[in-house]
């Protein structure tokens, strides 16, 4: 599916680009990688790879639009789970789903970026 360029780098064929685009479209509809893999007849990791390759080939404005759409989908699901977590039996399952959805949204928007730390190394040679 991929070809080797004279520079030694792999280049995508038209067939690979089409498969990658299909994975992106399905993921945009809210499909899981498992469902995409089953539909496309490939491994889950391949479905994920196809999605990320297609995403990398999309201009940054379109990626931002896709991120916004995914965020809205998460918000819709979170609204349902949040309501179930706070009403009725206060289901631990619903609470767990809320935490998972909130974590996914934080990762989607980069809210869990590493904390910057300052480390200072002091070397004592014992001759002072």
């Amino acid at each position: 599916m991929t070809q080797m360029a004279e520079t030694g780098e792999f280049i995508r064929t038209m067939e690979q680009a089409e498969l990658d685009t299909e994975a992106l479209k399905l993921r945009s509809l809210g499909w899981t990688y498992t469902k995409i893999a089953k539909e496309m007849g490939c491994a889950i990791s391949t479905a994920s790879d196809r999605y990320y390759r297609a995403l990398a080939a999309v201009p940054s404005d379109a990626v931002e639009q896709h991120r916004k759409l995914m965020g809205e989908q998460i918000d819709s699901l979170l609204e349902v789970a949040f309501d179930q977590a706070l009403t009725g039996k206060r289901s631990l399952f619903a609470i767990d789903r809320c935490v998972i959805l909130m974590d996914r949204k934080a990762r989607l928007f980069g809210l869990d970026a590493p904390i910057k730390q300052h480390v200072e190394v002091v070397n004592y040679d014992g001759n002072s």
Side-chain angles (χ1 to χ4, degrees), residues 23-38:
L24 178 65
K25 286 178 184 176
L26 295 174
R27 187 76 174 128
S28 296
L29 294 173
W31 287 33
T32 64
Y33 293 121
T34 303
K35 190 173 178 182
I36 294 169
K38 187 174 181 180

Side-chain angles (χ1 to χ4, degrees), residues 2 15 23 29 31 41 54 61 63 68 76 83 102 110 119 125 128:
T2 57
E15 179 186 5
L29 294 173
W31 287 33
D61 289 346
V63 171
K68 181 181 176 193
S76 295
D83 184 53
M102 291 165 64
V119 177
D125 61 7
S128 301

Side-chain angles (χ1 to χ4, degrees), residues 8-128:
E9 297 178 26
F10 286 99
I11 55 173
R12 291 191 313 163
T13 63
M14 181 61 79
E15 179 186 5
Q16 183 64 55
E18 289 170 356
L19 289 170
D20 294 351
T21 302
E22 181 64 19
L24 178 65
K25 286 178 184 176
L26 295 174
R27 187 76 174 128
S28 296
L29 294 173
W31 287 33
T32 64
Y33 293 121
T34 303
K35 190 173 178 182
I36 294 169
K38 187 174 181 180
E39 174 72 18
M40 298 183 82
C42 64
I44 296 169
S45 61
T46 302
S48 173
D49 290 346
R50 288 175 177 170
Y51 167 76
Y52 282 108
R53 262 195 314 268
L55 205 54
V58 176
S60 62
D61 289 346
V63 171
E64 198 54 44
Q65 184 65 25
H66 181 69
R67 183 176 285 120
K68 181 181 176 193
L69 173 65
M70 297 278 299
E72 290 170 356
Q73 290 172 342
I74 291 170
D75 286 342
S76 295
L77 296 171
L78 186 57
E79 185 177 333
V80 172
F82 198 73
D83 184 53
Q84 290 181 8
L86 295 179
T87 60
K89 300 176 186 175
R90 292 185 182 250
S91 164
L92 291 178
F93 179 78
I95 293 168
D96 182 54
R97 291 296 121 194
C98 287
V99 171
I100 290 170
L101 289 166
M102 291 165 64
D103 179 61
R104 177 66 188 114
K105 187 170 181 183
R107 285 186 286 128
L108 180 66
F109 290 103
L111 300 176
D112 290 341
I115 298 170
K116 292 182 181 181
Q117 297 181 357
H118 176 77
V119 177
E120 187 173 325
V121 177
V122 179
N123 187 5
Y124 294 100
D125 61 7
N127 294 327
S128 301

